[in-house]
Amino acid sequence: MRVDLALQGGGAHGAFTWGVLDRLLEEPKLQLDGISGTSAGAMNAAVLVDGYAKGGAEGARRALEAFWRRVSRASQFSPFRRGPLDVLFGRWTLDYSPTFLTMDMVARLFSPYDLNPGGTNPLRTILAESIDFAHLAEGPIKLFVTATNVRTGRGRVFRNTDLTIDALLASACLPNMFQAIEIDGDAYWDGGYAGNPTITPLVRECESSDTILVQINPIERPGTPRSARNILSRLNEVSFNSVLLKELKMIALLRQMVCLGDDESARWASMRIHRISSDVLLELGYSSKLNGEWAFLTMLRDQGRHAAEGFLEAHRADLGRRSTLDLDTLLEGV
C-alpha cells in the first residue's frame, strides 16, 4: 500500500512525529511514496529518507533516533532549562525558567540580528552530522520541504535534488529567533507561514491517493487564551494551520462538485486524507517546543508510537479505500 506523509513542524514537539514514523516504518505493507514536511517535520522527513536509502525501514528508524539523540545532546548546553519545581512535579514547560522568561521578553524588543549577529544556529551542525544529502537526491521517496520567501510571502518547495542544509534551516527559521536564511539571493523564513505542511506537491507529483497527516499543531483548542504568551502561542497555531486548512477545504469542495472539470481537479477530489494526532499535545505550551531533554523527547516519541498504533488498529483496512478524516466539517459556516 503506497501512502504519502504530511509532517507538521513544531520544534521539540517534532519528537512526537518521530514516534509516529518509528511505528509506521514497522508496517511491512506500507510503502512511502512522498513526504511533505515543514520545520521539524522537514527534518524528520529528510533524516528518514537518508536512513531509508542507506538501510531500508530499519535504517530509517536508526537514523531518526540518532538525529533526536544529537538534538538532545546539543540541548544540554542550552540555557533553556526547566526549573526545580517543574522537574519535581513532572511539568515539561519552560514557562517558569528565568532564562526563557528573559529571552521571551528580550525577543520582543530586539531581533536576531541584534542578539546573534553571527547567525549561529546549532541545528546546522546537527544536520551536517545526520544527513548525507547525496542520498536524498537518489532516494526512492519523494521529498517536499517548504520555506517562506520573505520578499514575496510565498512558499517555496524544495525537492530531493535541491535540498541542502540551508533549505532545511530555512524551513525551520522562526524570524524572532534566527536570522533569515539566504538561498539563491532570496531570504527565507519558517515554512509554516506558507504551508504546514504543503499538500499540493503530494497531489500533483505522487502516485499515492492516501495522505497521512501527522498533526502536532492543534487546529482546535478549548478555552480563550488570556495571558500574553498564550495569546501569541494560539496566534502562531492559527497562522501555521491556515494554509493547510485551505488545501483541505479545497479537497472537500471538489468532492462535492458534480462536475470535476479536469484531471487535476479529479486528482484532488480523489485524495484520501487521514490524520494522526494526540490530545497530549494540547497539554503542552509553546515554551516546551524548546525543551530538548531526552526524557521529554522520548515521552513524545512514545506518545507518537501509541497514536500511530491506535490509528493502524482503527483504520489499517481503510487505507486505499476511504478517507478517515472528515473534511466536510471544514466547510461548516463557509
Side-chain angles (χ1 to χ4, degrees):
M1 169 60 62
R2 296 172 71 87
V3 300
D4 300 325
L5 300 177
L7 310 181
Q8 286 196 318
H13 293 184
F16 173 84
T17 302
W18 163 31
V20 171
L21 298 176
D22 191 65
R23 176 62 188 90
L24 294 181
L25 286 165
E26 293 177 343
E27 285 291 298
K29 292 184 179 180
L30 287 186
Q31 181 181 355
L32 299 181
D33 188 10
I35 309 177
S36 178
T38 296
S39 192
M43 296 181 189
N44 274 320
V47 170
L48 184 156
V49 173
D50 178 42
Y52 197 95
K54 295 173 182 175
E58 286 303 313
R61 295 180 66 209
R62 291 193 297 270
L64 284 165
E65 178 171 353
F67 169 75
W68 285 101
R69 283 190 180 278
R70 290 188 180 102
V71 170
S72 181
R73 284 197 296 269
S75 75
Q76 293 176 0
F77 304 101
S78 170
F80 300 116
R81 312 293 295 179
R82 286 188 297 161
L85 287 178
D86 293 320
V87 174
L88 179 63
F89 290 106
R91 298 189 297 242
W92 298 110
T93 181
L94 300 181
D95 286 355
Y96 307 104
S97 162
T99 304
F100 174 79
L101 292 172
T102 300
M103 290 301 297
D104 188 45
M105 182 66 69
V106 168
R108 301 170 194 266
L109 301 174
F110 300 96
S111 82
Y113 296 87
D114 301 316
L115 301 174
N116 183 14
T120 303
N121 189 328
L123 282 172
R124 183 177 294 277
T125 300
I126 294 172
L127 290 171
E129 295 173 347
S130 301
I131 301 171
D132 182 340
F133 286 85
H135 285 135
L136 300 188
E138 301 168 357
I141 302 171
K142 302 180 184 72
L143 262 176
F144 309 100
V145 169
T146 302
T148 303
N149 187 304
V150 178
R151 176 176 56 85
T152 66
R154 295 195 295 266
R156 173 175 172 180
V157 177
F158 296 87
R159 292 163 173 80
N160 298 61
T161 54
D162 57 1
L163 264 176
T164 61
I165 289 178
D166 280 342
L168 290 175
L169 291 178
S171 184
C173 181
L174 290 171
N176 61 330
M177 293 186 65
F178 300 108
Q179 294 185 20
I181 303 296
E182 290 200 9
I183 302 173
D184 300 331
D186 270 320
Y188 289 89
W189 281 339
D190 194 292
Y193 299 109
N196 190 25
T198 304
I199 301 295
T200 302
L202 296 177
V203 178
R204 291 179 170 175
E205 301 178 39
C206 295
E207 296 178 14
S208 169
S209 293
D210 284 82
T211 295
I212 301 175
L213 168 66
V214 183
Q215 188 169 15
I216 57 179
N217 284 300
I219 291 178
E220 296 186 7
R221 184 180 286 277
T224 302
R226 297 187 179 275
S227 71
R229 186 181 302 112
N230 288 340
I231 290 171
L232 181 59
S233 176
R234 185 57 183 152
L235 281 172
N236 283 332
E237 287 178 346
V238 171
S239 174
F240 279 8
N241 280 326
S242 62
V243 179
L244 170 66
L245 288 175
K246 288 179 181 178
E247 290 186 305
L248 295 179
K249 284 180 181 178
M250 182 167 63
I251 295 174
L253 282 169
L254 288 171
R255 284 180 179 171
Q256 293 186 359
M257 293 172 62
V258 176
C259 298
L260 296 178
D262 55 37
D263 290 342
E264 181 163 338
S265 295
R267 173 72 176 152
W268 276 93
S270 67
M271 291 299 294
R272 294 180 288 268
I273 308 298
H274 315 274
R275 178 173 63 189
I276 298 176
S277 61
S278 173
D279 289 343
V280 170
L281 297 168
L282 281 171
E283 302 169 6
L284 300 174
Y286 167 79
S287 67
S288 64
K289 293 180 179 181
L290 301 176
N291 186 346
E293 294 177 58
W294 184 243
F296 180 55
L297 300 181
T298 53
M299 182 277 290
L300 287 172
R301 176 203 61 194
D302 294 343
Q303 290 293 330
R305 282 188 57 88
H306 177 73
E309 181 66 35
F311 169 81
L312 290 170
E313 288 180 358
H315 300 300
R316 184 184 278 107
D318 294 316
L319 293 172
R321 297 177 56 195
R322 69 178 187 90
S323 288
T324 58
L325 177 62
D326 184 5
L327 298 181
D328 290 339
T329 59
L330 299 176
L331 300 179
E332 295 175 359
V334 175

